[in-house]
């Protein structure tokens, strides 16, 4: 299966802790408005750590209208008709690193600590494995993202690095950046 086929065909229903049922599926071109609304429900202090200005409608529409599956495999978590979580497997740049992916993730606060992030991480790793990646990296800010770090570690991710002061918050305070990794391939198939 090609990387594009992997991303375009991904869809599964998940029952969360507490019994809520959500759907995790690939990002579609028609998701622009839903994705914009989703990011407006992410607190400003969390959006600050994201790599792009997700409050800019042009950025979000660019993401949905021009999905480059050779670069990123985006997924969304849906409850009813609303996006409640978003994540992507992103191919690292350069031929020497292209077999390793990074994952990025965001979940609206009301759905945090209910298993949404864990299920998105699981889905991203599944998509990355199907797309032929050998491993996945996940960078998180230790302060404020400790629940995501714990969820990733419970899935088998291991800490492979810490960069003291690797992130600066909007007030200028430094925070440690934690890098976690998980091998895929045969290891992931057993998981």
């Amino acid at each position: 299966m090609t990387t594009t086929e992997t991303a375009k065909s991904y869809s599964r229903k998940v029952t969360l802790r507490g019994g809520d049922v959500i759907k995790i599926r690939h990002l579609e071109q028609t998701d622009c408005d839903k994705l914009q609304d989703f990011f407006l429900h992410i607190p400003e202090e969390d959006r600050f750590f994201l790599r792009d200005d997700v409050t800019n409608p042009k950025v979000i529409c660019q993401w949905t209208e021009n999905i480059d599956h050779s670069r990123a495999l985006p997924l969304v978590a849906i409850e009813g008709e609303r996006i409640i979580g978003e994540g992507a497997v992103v191919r690292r740049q350069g031929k020497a690193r292209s077999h390793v992916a990074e994952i990025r993730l965001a979940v609206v606060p009301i759905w945090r600590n209910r298993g949404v992030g864990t299920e998105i991480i699981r889905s991203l790793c599944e998509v990355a494995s199907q797309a032929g990646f050998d491993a996945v990296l996940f960078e998180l800010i230790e302060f404020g993202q400790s629940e995501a770090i714990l969820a990733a570690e419970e899935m088998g991710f291991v800490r492979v690095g810490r960069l003291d002061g690797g992130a600066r918050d909007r007030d200028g305070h430094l925070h440690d950046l934690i890098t976690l990794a998980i091998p895929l391939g045969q290891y992931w198939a057993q998981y």
Side-chain angles (χ1 to χ4, degrees):
M1 184 176 286
T2 68
T3 302
T4 301
E5 290 169 340
T6 297
K8 286 185 174 182
S9 65
Y10 192 85
S11 179
R12 73 183 184 106
K13 288 194 178 195
V14 177
T15 301
L16 303 173
R17 297 187 294 266
D20 291 307
V21 177
I22 64 169
K23 182 178 184 179
I24 299 177
R25 64 162 172 80
H26 65 293
L27 181 69
E28 298 174 350
Q29 288 183 330
T30 58
D31 286 332
C32 183
D33 291 339
K34 291 178 188 176
L35 196 58
Q36 285 176 14
D37 184 60
F38 163 76
F39 279 117
L40 292 177
H41 286 89
I42 299 293
E44 183 179 343
E45 60 269 14
D46 293 351
R47 288 193 312 252
F48 180 82
F49 292 110
L50 300 177
R51 295 177 192 223
D52 296 302
D53 178 6
V54 294
T55 62
N56 183 339
K58 290 180 183 178
V59 168
I60 301 303
C61 286
Q62 177 72 20
W63 284 4
T64 58
E65 292 171 8
N66 300 305
I67 300 171
D68 179 3
H69 290 106
S70 66
R71 172 82 176 111
L73 306 172
L75 300 177
V76 289
I78 305 288
E79 190 275 325
E81 294 296 316
R82 291 185 14 207
I83 294 176
I84 60 169
E86 179 271 341
V89 173
V90 181
R91 183 179 301 278
R92 297 186 75 205
Q93 297 295 313
K95 292 178 184 178
R97 293 176 179 85
S98 64
H99 65 290
V100 176
E102 294 180 37
I103 60 172
R104 299 180 187 158
L105 172 69
V107 176
V108 292
I110 196 167
W111 283 92
R112 293 178 185 167
N113 300 313
R114 295 167 75 176
V116 175
T118 299
E119 293 300 334
I120 294 172
I121 294 169
R122 185 182 327 278
S123 295
L124 291 170
C125 287
E126 188 176 321
V127 166
S129 181
Q130 291 172 1
F133 289 101
D134 293 334
V136 170
L137 298 176
F138 195 13
E139 286 186 347
L140 295 160
I141 311 302
E142 190 170 39
F143 171 78
Q145 294 182 316
S146 57
E147 295 90 7
I149 292 170
L150 180 61
E153 288 176 329
E154 288 175 354
M155 292 180 61
F157 280 81
V158 294
R159 292 180 190 219
V160 295
R162 168 193 294 277
L163 180 56
D164 295 337
R168 188 181 304 270
D169 67 23
R170 61 188 179 156
D171 296 324
H173 300 110
L174 295 174
H175 300 280
D176 295 346
L177 183 66
I178 305 297
T179 302
L180 300 113
I182 191 168
L184 297 174
Q186 197 170 31
Y187 172 81
W188 184 254
Q190 295 171 2
Y191 177 70

